[in-house]
């Protein structure tokens, strides 16, 4: 089956076209036929399309809305110009899988989209006011363009964490607030943590129930996950993605009293403080330069910028704190797995996170860490005798979305 995977954000639509089915999955031989991104939707958009990892189209022109974006994607994948042999008409697309950010307490697994599922996604808008509406627009666009008969599946970012026990998902606030508003920790990046767990167990040839690892998704957004029996036991993001690790522009954990303090001392509204914590904090806020780790590492090395160095130190220290906390919760782990743009590409950050954790059984092999093979599905970067292995596992959320789409449809 050819599955179109869509990740619709407020002003971007990312897509991948993946060939997979139950037999291909069993052989772990899924194929990525094409991928692309349409940015700055609603204005002059930047369109980038890739086949076999090579950019085959890059142009800039206005794209009105999500519907037009999905239309552009479908037109391009079926066109001669894209050169995708498997796809010549919309009927060669057999299913669409959507990344949906928030599934609340309702969705604990991926779901074939029906009216009832749509209304459940709408019910979660309060919990993800920026993300879920964009995901719904993507679903509506597909229905209009490819017809109501096109099977669509929603894969929720929160679903993997639905296995968290109450003592990890509750906040220690009056219990009736949880009852009344479902005010609790949900966690995000679930599909990425699930992929990392899956890939780890295939590399180690373990059963799902035999996986006990700490997974670190370090991209623009960052989260850690303690995985036991192949399921999420705890994760660092909370009711929203703000909690936990320090990120590109998000503060991560802090004292909530800071909100009232800032409203009184600086005269900000609560909404303005929320914006500061989500968009102007983290690596960007501390360095005053950028939320982009690659640029920050460059600044530290090239100009010796003190605050760039401080931001990186804080970023790594927070990750180390979570590793310690999760090792305690798991009572030891088989491995720590790095993923995401920073986790996969920055040997420097992996080294700064791991060096000095030897007393916890974490021994990084500096040479292996600095010389990763290209295109590997996962690479061990710990010393041979390290009690806790360290892995770099390039994450692949789209693969799991495509596979979930097939499974939901076949069942
Ligand atoms: P998103 O969370 O938006 O999917 P990514 O997973 O692509 O983002 O991660 C983006 C982050 O990865 C940025 O901070 C970027 O600077 C960082 N990054 C990418 N390549 C490198 C690299 N070679 N060294 C350090 N950081 C990198």
């Amino acid at each position: 089956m050819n599955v179109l995977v869509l990740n619709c954000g407020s002003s971007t639509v990312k897509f991948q076209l993946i060939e997979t089915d139950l037999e291909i999955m069993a052989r772990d031989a899924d194929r990525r036929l094409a991928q692309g991104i349409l940015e700055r939707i609603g204005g002059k958009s930047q369109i980038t399309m890739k086949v076999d990892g090579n950019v085959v189209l890059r142009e800039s022109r206005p794209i009105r809305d999500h519907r037009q974006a999905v239309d552009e994607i479908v037109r391009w994948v079926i066109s001669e110009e894209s050169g995708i042999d498997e796809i010549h008409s919309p009927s060669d697309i057999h299913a669409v899988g959507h990344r949906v950010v928030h599934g609340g307490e309702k969705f604990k697994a991926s779901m074939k989209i029906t009216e009832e599922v749509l209304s459940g996604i709408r019910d979660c808008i309060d919990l993800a006011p920026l993300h879920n509406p964009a995901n719904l627009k993507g679903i509506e666009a597909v229905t209009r363009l490819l017809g109501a008969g096109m099977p669509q599946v929603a894969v929720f970012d929160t679903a993997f964490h639905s296995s968290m026990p109450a003592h990890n998902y509750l906040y220690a606030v009056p219990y009736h607030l949880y009852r009344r508003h479902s005010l609790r920790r949900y966690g995000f990046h679930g599909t990425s943590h699930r992929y990392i767990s899956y890939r780890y167990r295939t590399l180690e040839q373990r059963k799902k129930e035999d996986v006990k690892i700490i997974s670190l998704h370090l991209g623009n957004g960052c989260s850690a996950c303690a995985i036991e029996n192949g399921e999420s036991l705890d994760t660092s993001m909370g009711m929203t993605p703000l909690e936990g690790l320090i990120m590109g522009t998000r503060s991560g954990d802090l004292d909530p009293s800071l909100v009232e303090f800032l409203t009184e001392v600086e005269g900000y509204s609560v909404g303005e403080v929320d914006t500061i914590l989500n968009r102007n904090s983290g690596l960007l806020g501390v360095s005053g330069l950028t939320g982009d780790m690659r640029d920050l590492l460059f600044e530290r090395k090239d100009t010796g910028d003190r605050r760039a160095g401080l931001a990186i130190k804080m970023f790594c220290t927070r990750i180390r704190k979570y590793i310690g906390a999760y090792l305690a919760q798991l009572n030891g782990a088989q491995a720590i797995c790095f993923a995401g743009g920073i986790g996969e590409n920055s040997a420097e950050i992996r080294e700064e996170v791991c060096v000095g954790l030897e007393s916890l059984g974490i021994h990084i092999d500096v040479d292996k860490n600095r010389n990763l093979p290209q295109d590997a599905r996962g690479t061990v970067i710990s010393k041979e005798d390290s009690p806790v292995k360290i892995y770099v596992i390039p994450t692949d959320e789209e693969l799991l979305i495509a596979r979930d789409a097939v499974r939901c449809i076949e069942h």
Side-chain angles (χ1 to χ4, degrees), residues 11 39 61 98 134-135 148 164 237 257 291 321 342 359 386 395:
S11 65
E39 295 164 282
R61 66 192 146 80
H98 294 268
N135 303 148
M164 278 197 289
M237 285 178 166
S257 303
K321 281 191 186 178
I342 300 171
S359 68
S386 179
T395 195

Side-chain angles (χ1 to χ4, degrees), residues 14 217-221 291-294 297 340-342 345-346:
K14 291 188 203 161
H217 178 106
L218 310 177
N220 284 314
D292 189 284
M293 183 57 93
R294 198 173 3 191
L297 287 163
I342 300 171
N345 297 304
S346 179

Side-chain angles (χ1 to χ4, degrees), residues 121-176:
I121 298 173
R122 279 187 211 109
D123 290 344
C124 296
I125 287 179
D126 280 352
L127 292 166
L130 293 178
H131 294 101
N132 275 27
N135 303 148
L136 283 162
K137 280 185 194 162
I139 297 169
E140 279 157 23
V142 171
T143 310
R144 285 184 181 234
L145 290 163
L146 299 177
M150 171 61 70
Q152 299 190 66
V153 170
V155 178
F156 300 92
D157 238 24
T158 47
F160 181 63
H161 303 300
S162 64
S163 51
M164 278 197 289
H167 62 265
N168 280 340
Y169 72 64
L170 286 175
Y171 289 112
V173 298
Y175 195 77
H176 71 267

Side-chain angles (χ1 to χ4, degrees), residues 7 14 99 189 217-222 248 283 290-297 315 339-349 395 397:
N7 179 353
K14 291 188 203 161
R99 173 182 182 223
H189 290 147
H217 178 106
L218 310 177
N220 284 314
C222 300
L283 297 174
T290 172
D292 189 284
M293 183 57 93
R294 198 173 3 191
D295 295 345
L296 218 48
L297 287 163
F315 179 88
I342 300 171
E344 291 164 30
N345 297 304
S346 179
E348 229 173 316
I349 294 295
T395 195
E397 289 151 276

Side-chain angles (χ1 to χ4, degrees), residues 192-228:
S192 176
H193 292 299
R194 177 158 68 102
Y195 175 83
I196 294 162
S197 175
Y198 157 76
R199 185 52 69 203
Y200 167 78
R201 84 176 153 83
T202 58
L203 291 166
E204 290 272 319
Q205 298 185 333
R206 287 177 186 270
K207 292 203 186 90
K208 175 175 172 260
E209 308 71 55
D210 189 24
V211 170
K212 191 158 89 157
I213 60 171
I214 297 170
S215 125
L216 299 169
H217 178 106
L218 310 177
N220 284 314
C222 300
S223 70
C225 186
I227 299 175
E228 189 171 47

